[in-house]
Amino acid sequence: IAGITQAPTSQILAAGRRMTLRCTQDMRHNAMYWYRQDLGLGLRLIHYSNTAGTTGKGEVPDGYSVSRANTDDFPLTLASAVPSQTSVYFCASSEAGGADTQYFGPGTRLTVL
Amino acid sequence: RKEVEQDPGPFNVPEGATVAFNCTYSNSASQSFFWYRQDCRKEPKLLMSVYSSGNEDGRFTAQLNRASQYISLLIRDSKLSDSATYLCVVAPGSWGKLQFGAGTQVVVTP
C-alpha cells in the first residue's frame, strides 16, 4: 500500500506557466487536502475536499484551483505561477473530515522563477 | 496574531535528558488537539492526540490546559531519533480546517 503519492517530487517553473501538482491516495479516504509549507509560517490550507465531487477553499486559495473527479485523485493547479508560490506543497487525506488523523504525501518542492 | 503559536527553538537536548515545550492557541472554542512530528524535508506524521486529562505514549507526555489555552509536549529520556520538528495542531471544530503551528525544532545531541 503506497498511501499517498505526489508528483513531481520537485519542479522549477518559469513565472506565468501553468502547473498541475498530482496527488493520489489508495486508502479510499473521503477527505483530501492541499497545504503549502513556508519557513516560519507552518502549514497553510489551500483547498480541501470533503468527498469526491466537492471542493472548498482554505486559508490561502488565491491562484490555485482543485478538482475531485474521483476518490483517489486530487490535483492542484497553478493557472499562472508567480514567485510567491515558491513553496513545499503537501497533499493529505483523512478517512473523514474534522479531527480525523491526516496522512500526508511526501511533498512537492516548487520553485517559481 | 497567529491562531497557533510555537517557540521555533531549536531546543538542544543532551541524549537521555528531558525536554518540554508548549504551544498556545487563540480560539477558545477549539475542540481537538494533536502533536505531529516532521523530520527534515519529510512529511508531517501524527505523533499523538492530546486529551483533556493528559495522556502518555511511551516517553511522550501531552497535556492540555484549556483555561490558559495551551498544550504541552514532554519527551523523557531523549533519543537521537527524537530530533525533529514538532508541530502543534488544533482543530477549531469546523470541518477540515486544522490549524498548524510553525513547529518547534528539537535537536538531541550525543
Side-chain angles (χ1 to χ4, degrees), chain B residues 59-103:
Chain B
R59 297 180 293 105
F60 297 83
T61 300
Q63 297 279 355
L64 167 63
N65 185 317
R66 284 192 183 272
S68 300
Q69 294 182 208
Y70 73 86
I71 65 173
S72 63
L73 182 66
L74 181 145
I75 308 173
R76 288 187 303 277
D77 188 23
S78 296
K79 311 293 185 189
L80 295 176
S81 58
D82 294 333
S83 295
T85 296
Y86 293 85
L87 308 179
C88 173
V89 184
V90 175
S94 57
W95 194 96
K97 292 178 175 62
L98 295 184
Q99 301 288 338
F100 285 79

Side-chain angles (χ1 to χ4, degrees), chain A residues 32-81:
Chain A
M32 296 188 75
Y33 316 83
W34 273 106
Y35 293 90
R36 60 178 289 172
Q37 186 173 36
D38 303 289
L39 192 63
L41 295 179
L43 286 159
R44 292 182 292 168
L45 183 64
I46 304 171
H47 285 286
Y48 65 93
S49 169
N50 291 356
T51 187
T54 70
T55 62
K57 293 182 179 181
E59 181 185 355
V60 288
D62 294 343
Y64 306 95
S65 63
V66 292
S67 62
R68 187 90 184 276
N70 57 60
T71 298
D72 299 344
D73 301 300
F74 191 42
L76 175 74
T77 297
L78 290 67
S80 180

